[in-house]
Structure formats: C-alpha cells, structure tokens
C-alpha cells in the first residue's frame, strides 16, 4: 500500500525489500508491531528506516513499529546437506 501512494518518496528503495513476517506484541498499554526482514536486505531497510516507521505508525493507528533482521545460523557442514 505504501508503494502505491503517490506522495511517498521511498518507492524505489522499497522495491528491493521483502518481509519474512510480522507479529503483534502487547507492551504495557500499547501494542507493538514487530516486522521481520531477511538479513540480506537489512542494509536497505536501515537506509529508509525512519521514513518507513513513520508511514507504518500512521497506517497502524500509532502502534510502535520495530524492525528485526531474521538470520539463519547454518551448521559447519551445511554444504554437504544440499543447501
């Protein structure tokens, strides 16, 4: 939805960004939205983090928005397993 709106200037940066998932978490008297990104796009997310958080907080009724990088720890011999 953010990509479609005409007034947003972060459209070009959002084309490379994908999400792993999102979840709601109850924190004291407010709800926080935790957004998971793959680690390979984390640098791009950090560049547009401030603007993206403002837009998401407007869209989701002033919820706190938290970005988290999702990493996968691979075994030492992960190449032998066909990955």
């Amino acid at each position: 939805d953010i990509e479609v709106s005409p007034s947003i200037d972060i459209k070009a940066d959002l084309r490379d960004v994908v999400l792993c998932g999102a979840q709601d978490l109850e924190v004291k008297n407010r709800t926080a939205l935790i957004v998971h990104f793959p680690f390979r796009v984390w640098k791009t997310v950090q560049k547009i983090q401030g603007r993206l958080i403002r837009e998401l907080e407007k869209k989701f009724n002033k919820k706190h928005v938290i970005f988290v990088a999702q990493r996968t720890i691979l075994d030492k011999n992960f190449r032998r397993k066909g990955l």
Side-chain angles (χ1 to χ4, degrees):
D1 191 34
I2 294 175
E3 287 181 344
V4 179
S5 61
S7 64
I8 305 298
D9 59 343
I10 56 176
K11 286 184 198 178
D13 294 328
L14 280 178
R15 301 227 188 275
D16 301 331
V17 175
V18 292
L19 297 174
C20 287
Q23 65 185 32
D24 281 334
L25 184 67
E26 189 68 33
V27 180
K28 292 190 180 179
N29 57 355
R30 285 183 84 177
T31 305
L33 177 67
I34 301 174
V35 182
H36 299 275
F37 293 98
F39 187 72
R40 59 190 156 94
V41 298
W42 185 242
K43 292 288 182 191
T44 308
V45 171
Q46 283 183 324
K47 289 178 191 173
I48 59 172
Q49 179 177 359
R51 293 176 286 174
L52 191 57
I53 285 178
R54 264 185 264 124
E55 291 297 324
L56 289 174
E57 283 179 345
K58 278 195 279 185
K59 182 159 182 70
F60 291 110
N61 290 334
K62 302 292 183 185
K63 286 185 181 179
H64 292 296
V65 178
I66 303 167
F67 292 156
V68 178
Q70 187 75 29
R71 296 182 66 190
T72 303
I73 306 296
L74 299 175
D75 194 18
K76 288 181 183 177
N77 57 359
F78 72 96
R79 292 177 193 241
R80 295 183 210 143
K81 295 180 182 178
L83 291 178

